[in-house]
């Protein structure tokens, strides 16, 4: 009579390095030994591998959040005290420049020349807004020094143009107000000529408020102040119909956003297209308007405005 004894080793796990970052293969190792008292035999070791799959979260692949338009209460649309301070500084600078113009014109009994200077400043401001708008629409990206954030902002504006109407006043104007303060203040201190002051006050004022004129051109007529609608219809401010053409393919016209008075001349004579050719042949840089519009240019509808309530 033989007595058989079986000894089972405790189970252990051998974890193999997975070839996939998501799947881990775990092997179960079982060791068994069989002995007898009558016929001694060498122990037989059996290795049993039981594959088992375990799913673990992938810590390598990053989670990319969905990108969408800023919400109405997004901090990027709100004004800060710093924004308000710069806008107040810009308005104060313009006010003193206007006062100096009026005082100088009264002292010299010269009114016509400062008015002409102001009109030239008004037209030049529209032209400069178009040149600037054309440049950041077609060249550079978010990493461009100095202008990177503005280029990125205008790219987002093409995708969600209606968000500009949700920006608070100081949030929309503070960057231009800072530039106007630092530029106009030295001229105001050093110059006493009412003609130059008349040119400066109108040109600087139109540039500083150009982003507000721009926002109004995206507004709904029923929600705009009647005076603004009247100025748009009269062509004093850029109109909604004129600027809407800029947001349609091929996105290469109607860049001016003060009054739009320069748009017809610039587009009809292909001024910006000529500049693009010069830059391309001299520097080898292609403007974005030469390529098919990417996803960042395709306008998305405002879901809040597109919802229709049926009573």
């Amino acid at each position: 009579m033989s007595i058989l004894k079986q000894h089972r080793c405790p189970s252990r796990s051998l974890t193999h390095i997975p070839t996939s970052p998501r799947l881990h293969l775990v092997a179960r190792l079982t060791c068994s030994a069989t002995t007898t008292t009558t016929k001694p035999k060498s122990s037989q070791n059996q290795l049993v591998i039981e594959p088992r799959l375990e799913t673990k979260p992938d810590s390598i692949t990053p989670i990319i959040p969905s990108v969408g338009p800023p919400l109405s209460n997004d901090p990027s649309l709100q004004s800060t005290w710093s924004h308000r301070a710069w806008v107040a500084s810009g308005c104060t600078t313009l006010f003193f420049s206007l006062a100096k113009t009026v005082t100088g014109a009264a002292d010299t009994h010269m009114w016509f020349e400062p008015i002409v200077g102001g009109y030239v400043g008004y037209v030049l401001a529209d032209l400069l807004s178009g040149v600037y708008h054309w440049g950041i629409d077609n060249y550079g990206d978010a990493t461009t020094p100095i202008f990177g954030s503005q280029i990125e902002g205008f790219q987002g504006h093409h995708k969600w143009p209606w968000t500009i109407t949700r920006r608070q006043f100081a949030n929309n104007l503070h960057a231009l107000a800072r530039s106007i303060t630092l530029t106009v203040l030295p001229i105001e201190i050093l110059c006493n000529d009412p003609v130059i002051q008349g040119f400066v006050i109108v040109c600087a004022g139109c540039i500083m408020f150009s982003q507000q004129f721009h926002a109004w051109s995206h507004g709904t007529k029923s929600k705009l102040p009647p005076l603004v609608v009247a100025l748009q219809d009269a062509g004093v401010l850029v109109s909604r119909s004129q600027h809407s053409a800029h947001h349609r393919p091929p996105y290469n016209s109607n860049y001016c956003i003060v009054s739009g008075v320069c748009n017809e001349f610039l587009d009809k004579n292909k001024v910006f297209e000529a500049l693009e050719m010069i830059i391309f042949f001299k520097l080898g840089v292609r403007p974005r308007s030469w390529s098919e519009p990417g996803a960042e240019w395709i306008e998305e509808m405002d879901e809040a405005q597109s919802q229709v309530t049926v009573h």
Side-chain angles (χ1 to χ4, degrees), residues 133-135 137-139 250-253 255 270-291:
H133 192 177
W134 162 77
D137 263 10
N138 286 281
Y139 300 99
Y251 310 99
N252 62 354
S253 64
Y255 286 105
K270 301 185 183 300
V271 174
F272 289 128
E273 293 183 19
L275 291 175
E276 291 166 358
M277 293 295 293
I278 293 173
I279 293 174
F280 176 71
F281 284 117
K282 291 291 185 179
L283 304 176
V285 179
R286 293 170 57 91
R288 274 186 282 270
S289 60
W290 288 9
S291 305

Side-chain angles (χ1 to χ4, degrees), residues 231-274:
L231 292 174
Q232 289 179 338
D233 293 342
V236 178
L237 299 181
V238 62
S239 66
R240 301 175 304 282
S241 59
Q242 186 181 81
H243 186 64
S244 65
H246 175 70
H247 287 269
R248 293 194 295 266
Y251 310 99
N252 62 354
S253 64
N254 294 278
Y255 286 105
C256 302
I257 57 174
V258 172
S259 63
V261 68
C262 296
N263 280 327
E264 183 178 0
F265 174 83
L266 295 171
D267 296 340
K268 185 178 180 179
N269 293 280
K270 301 185 183 300
V271 174
F272 289 128
E273 293 183 19

